Amino acid sequence: MAINLAKEEKAKIIKKFGKDAKDSGSAEVQIALLTQKITELTEHLKSNKKDFQGRRGLLMMVGQRKRLLAYVKKQNLEEYRELIKKLGIRG
């Protein structure tokens, strides 16, 4: 099951976390998009307990986000702290 964000929702996240409207590749934007997908997939899995492929996808997304967070933390610790506070996730 592929979780795809609506264009408007994705654009809003890119605008909030990116350096400009076309900055979709920076680590901060990728982390924010993954966080949104993880939230939506978590809600899906609460009602579909036997969706094991969805669960696998969720774990893969969490791992990807963890690697991106480690990268941001290594590059700029203050930016990392600000990002996890904005997203409301544990670091």
Side-chain angles (χ1 to χ4, degrees):
M1 164 175 186
I3 296 289
N4 294 321
L5 300 175
K7 262 188 178 178
E8 299 81 29
E9 193 174 355
K10 193 172 182 177
K12 189 174 78 173
I13 291 171
I14 291 171
K15 187 176 180 185
K16 184 175 179 182
F17 290 94
K19 285 143 185 67
D20 59 48
K22 294 186 186 252
D23 176 25
S24 61
S26 69
E28 295 82 10
V29 173
Q30 289 182 49
I31 291 168
L33 290 171
L34 278 170
T35 300
Q36 183 63 35
K37 286 182 179 183
I38 288 168
T39 303
E40 290 180 12
L41 191 52
T42 302
E43 290 304 312
H44 165 78
L45 289 172
K46 283 180 183 174
S47 59
N48 298 279
K49 297 194 184 308
K50 293 188 177 184
D51 183 1
F52 298 111
Q53 289 301 311
R55 190 169 312 279
R56 180 177 185 270
L58 174 68
L59 291 173
M60 289 170 62
M61 281 188 239
V62 169
Q64 179 69 36
R65 183 178 70 178
K66 185 177 178 181
R67 289 190 299 276
L68 284 166
L69 281 168
Y71 170 77
V72 171
K73 187 176 184 179
K74 190 170 71 173
Q75 297 298 317
N76 187 343
L77 185 61
E78 192 53 45
E79 197 172 294
Y80 165 78
R81 288 183 177 147
E82 187 179 312
L83 183 63
I84 60 171
K85 187 181 290 185
K86 249 191 219 179
L87 290 171
I89 56 177
R90 291 182 286 158

